[in-house]
Amino acid sequence: MGRLAYVNGRYVPHGQASVHIEDRGYQFSDGVYEVVPVVDGVLVDEEPHLDRLGYSLGELKIAWPVRRPVLKLILRELMAKNNLTRGIIYFQVTRGVAPRDHKFPASVKSALVITTKRLNPPSAAMINDGVAVSTQPDIRWTRRDIKSISLLPNILAKQAAVEAKAFEAWLVEADGTVTEGSSTNAWIVKGGEVITYPKTNDILGGITRLSLLDLVKSTGIKLVERSFTLDEARTADEAFLTSSSSFVVPVTRIDGKPVGTGKPGPITQRLREIYVENVDRQIRAAK
Ligand code: PMP
């Protein structure tokens, strides 16, 4: 049997899964989403992802489509049906279906769509050589803390990066501040200090970022949550990015110029190791 998707209470063949044309997600991007990594059949950092979903829903006054424990059951059911052991599970909640009108509908039921995707871990080349990033202007709104499905600026930035032969776009404010990547958080290492943008409305509070911050505390490596400029990034000793689908990936070129030695740095490699060890611990605990 082929891959299934979950759409508003039903498991349907992925290729035929569809939503109503007046789903407010389709017409207004009026919705939020989550991506949870799956390793060895285990949902990594599931609770913080569900916490963030609750936060995004709350900020937009969208109701949970089902109660949290029920959502957890559906995620497992879909993973089992699709035999997903390594990849990601995507879930999206929109305000629901209603005649097109900007204001919130008086009565509406949130819509829930869930899909799974097999995905290999980042390749050995990405980890051993690092990836290139291309800088792009950050043209997003001021509520980047909400994991909204409205991703046009992110898509445009990623496409521009790909056209510049880079893996990711790093988004830069008019004053030269690097906020984050188009779908990843951005980090630099300078003088032994690990630096990443503070958790504010200016960035999406990545769950990988959150876990890594926690893990770094037990290493003795110095950590600072502050903004950094593109100039600082260009002259950093090391740089890396984090996300649910890639974990910790070294960044070795910014706009075609090498960062530090042009090779993944020792602190980045150490942080990747401790992140992967943490994932392994979660897998062991779940079995
Ligand atoms: N920033 C942005 C803009 C993102 O879209 C993502 C991934 N959804 C991240 C950061 C990384 O977040 P996470 O670690 O939760 O995948």
Side-chain angles (χ1 to χ4, degrees), residues 15-253:
Q16 287 152 37
S18 60
V19 295
H20 194 279
I21 55 167
E22 284 192 315
D23 185 299
R24 288 177 63 95
Y26 180 58
Q27 292 192 327
F28 293 119
S29 301
D30 189 2
V32 301
Y33 74 106
E34 277 299 325
V35 175
V36 182
V38 175
V39 180
D40 277 351
V42 174
L43 289 144
V44 177
D45 284 339
E46 180 182 22
E47 296 303 333
H49 277 282
L50 292 174
D51 291 345
R52 184 172 65 184
L53 177 71
Y55 174 77
S56 298
L57 290 171
E59 291 302 292
L60 298 181
K61 300 189 171 62
I62 297 175
W64 280 78
V66 291
R67 286 184 306 111
R68 181 167 170 148
V70 175
L71 177 57
K72 291 173 68 164
L73 286 176
I74 303 170
L75 295 177
R76 281 159 180 73
E77 184 74 21
L78 187 67
M79 279 166 51
K81 285 183 189 298
N82 287 347
N83 247 320
L84 182 75
T85 51
R86 183 69 167 88
I88 53 167
I89 188 153
Y90 173 92
F91 40 112
Q92 160 173 325
V93 182
T94 70
R95 199 177 304 276
V97 175
R100 188 178 187 281
D101 189 357
H102 284 58
K103 66 180 185 296
F104 297 176
S107 134
V108 70
K109 190 173 167 359
S110 316
L112 172 62
V113 167
I114 313 175
T115 57
T116 65
K117 187 159 103 179
R118 284 175 213 276
L119 201 68
N120 291 324
S123 67
M126 276 172 67
I127 303 307
N128 296 336
D129 302 339
V131 297
V133 300
S134 150
T135 58
Q136 302 295 332
D138 197 340
I139 59 169
R140 297 174 298 162
W141 70 333
T142 54
R143 291 305 309 276
R144 303 158 186 169
D145 53 317
I146 299 171
K147 201 164 167 59
S148 151
I149 57 172
S150 182
L151 289 170
L152 260 185
N154 309 58
I155 288 167
L156 294 177
K158 181 82 91 187
Q159 181 60 24
V162 168
E163 286 170 15
K165 308 250 180 305
F167 173 77
E168 173 62 308
W170 271 13
L171 306 176
V172 184
E173 300 277 20
D175 69 357
T177 302
V178 178
T179 49
E180 61 183 325
S182 72
S183 61
T184 57
N185 287 110
W187 307 64
I188 58 171
V189 181
K190 227 175 163 65
E193 244 176 28
V194 176
I195 305 164
T196 195
Y197 202 95
K199 189 167 177 289
T200 61
N201 292 357
D202 301 333
I203 62 162
L204 180 79
I207 301 303
T208 322
R209 175 190 177 282
L210 185 70
S211 296
L212 191 62
L213 285 176
D214 224 39
L215 293 163
V216 171
K217 284 182 193 137
S218 58
T219 61
I221 297 172
K222 191 150 182 257
L223 182 97
V224 197
E225 284 181 79
R226 68 157 173 89
S227 65
F228 60 86
T229 64
L230 179 53
D231 277 346
E232 283 182 283
R234 284 195 183 116
T235 55
D237 304 319
E238 305 178 28
F240 60 96
L241 53 81
T242 55
S243 77
S244 294
S245 47
S246 63
F247 297 166
V248 178
V249 174
V251 169
T252 46
R253 269 160 300 148

